[in-house]
Amino acid sequence: MDVNHSGTDDAVKGMLAKLSTLWKTRAAVNQPQPDYWGLAFDANKNDFSHSLLPFRNHQAWLEAPKDLQSKCMSYAWGIYNLKTIYIECNVVVPACEDIIKTPPQSHNRALLQDVMSQALLDEALHTRMSIMACNYIYDMRQLTPLDFSAFNLVTWREALLANCTAEWERRLTRFGIACASETLITDYLKTMAEDSTIQSVCHEVTRTHAMDEWSHSSVFSFVATDIVNGLTRKERLYLRSIILRTVQMFANNEMGAWARVFDMLGLPNGNEILHDVGDNNEISVYTDSLEALVNRIGLAGNGLESAEQAVEQLRERASA
């Protein structure tokens, strides 16, 4: 049975209109860009935040030669940017295109197309920024660029879509993964955006990206709220399950990419690190944002279990 959310329609319309109007001044990458490449390069600074390394406390890593540690930190920047590129191109852009090409039945149809077309432009600029930032570090460090494509979130999404049996499932899968990703990325970016100890160009590029993703989190949330208003209970349960499952893939350590890096560098005891660390990162970094998202877009209550219950079940599955 559908739940009538007409009381929220005006509020959603107002926020979508506001986000659309503010886009020209809100979108950081849509402004004249600072000369990032003119920033001083400090060879003694790390190119990535050490606290985000999945193996930062592993004894084999702590005992690795300093020059190899430095190169690994540079490749961490490469992995982060390459994964960002794949998420922007393969996850977020298709969700934007769905809304632009065939918007849902809604009083806010034109506004949905407008804000998603703005987000689409932002993502194209983020992709370009990530390519440039990644290659800049490779050039300055004289490193062979990493060639890797099997990022877990992307491959999991492809498998999930292949198993969908209806078009509504495919659309909600594409949108749910993108919506969750645009929310969860803000937690990840926050660390580097506030870490002034890393390479200046890495800090500034990440800070610019973070500014836009904080806004995109709002855009996708209000678009999601509008979409959820028109869903059946079955569809809402499905969308919520996709969003909850996305956090496990988003928190993946991407050890496949690290295996490639360790092999390229000949890191001593690299296989030991890969074996001991495994794929699953600590999802608690993201659960507060996830819980807030589920509540905010209307996927809790009204016959559905609470966001707190859903997230607790997620934690239990992750620790099992």
Side-chain angles (χ1 to χ4, degrees), residues 75 78-79 82 86 138 144-151 256-257 260-261 264:
Y75 275 116
I79 290 172
L82 193 53
Y86 271 89
Y138 288 148
T144 301
L146 174 65
D147 182 13
F148 186 80
S149 62
F151 291 104
R260 182 74 57 84
V261 169
M264 291 170 67

Side-chain angles (χ1 to χ4, degrees), residues 276-298:
D276 293 344
V277 173
D279 286 332
N280 295 321
N281 203 345
E282 179 51 64
I283 67 168
S284 63
V285 174
Y286 306 103
T287 50
D288 286 348
S289 292
L290 187 67
E291 190 174 301
L293 175 66
V294 169
N295 277 320
R296 188 164 61 243
I297 67 178

Side-chain angles (χ1 to χ4, degrees), residues 198-217:
I198 63 174
Q199 198 70 240
S200 295
V201 66
C202 301
H203 173 245
E204 289 301 321
V205 164
T206 309
R207 189 174 64 83
T208 299
H209 191 184
M211 289 170 63
D212 279 345
E213 293 303 347
W214 285 323
S215 297
H216 281 191
S217 178

Side-chain angles (χ1 to χ4, degrees), residues 93-217:
V93 166
C96 293
E97 291 177 340
D98 274 349
I99 306 298
I100 295 167
K101 294 174 181 175
T102 54
Q105 295 298 316
S106 167
H107 296 302
N108 300 319
R109 181 181 181 279
L111 276 172
L112 293 174
Q113 288 178 304
D114 188 31
V115 296
M116 293 308 266
S117 67
Q118 291 170 346
L120 184 67
L121 285 169
D122 291 347
E123 302 303 3
L125 291 169
H126 292 162
T127 299
R128 180 174 183 270
M129 186 170 65
S130 287
I131 291 169
M132 294 174 67
C134 195
N135 287 331
Y136 173 82
I137 292 299
Y138 288 148
D139 289 345
M140 297 302 291
R141 299 291 189 184
Q142 297 184 328
L143 294 172
T144 301
L146 174 65
D147 182 13
F148 186 80
S149 62
F151 291 104
N152 284 281
L153 180 66
V154 177
T155 56
W156 170 72
R157 174 186 176 276
E158 291 171 353
L160 211 58
L161 286 170
N163 288 322
C164 289
T165 58
E167 181 56 28
W168 70 266
E169 289 181 343
R170 283 184 281 273
R171 281 182 65 92
L172 289 182
T173 297
R174 288 191 291 265
F175 182 78
I177 296 173
C179 183
S181 297
E182 289 294 271
T183 298
L184 301 173
I185 189 63
T186 60
D187 295 315
Y188 192 86
L189 286 168
K190 186 174 186 291
T191 298
M192 283 193 291
E194 296 177 354
D195 188 354
S196 59
T197 68
I198 63 174
Q199 198 70 240
S200 295
V201 66
C202 301
H203 173 245
E204 289 301 321
V205 164
T206 309
R207 189 174 64 83
T208 299
H209 191 184
M211 289 170 63
D212 279 345
E213 293 303 347
W214 285 323
S215 297
H216 281 191
S217 178

Side-chain angles (χ1 to χ4, degrees), residues 92 95-96 116 119 175 178-179 182 216-225:
V92 182
C96 293
M116 293 308 266
F175 182 78
C179 183
E182 289 294 271
H216 281 191
S217 178
S218 294
V219 169
F220 270 80
S221 291
F222 282 104
V223 171
T225 302

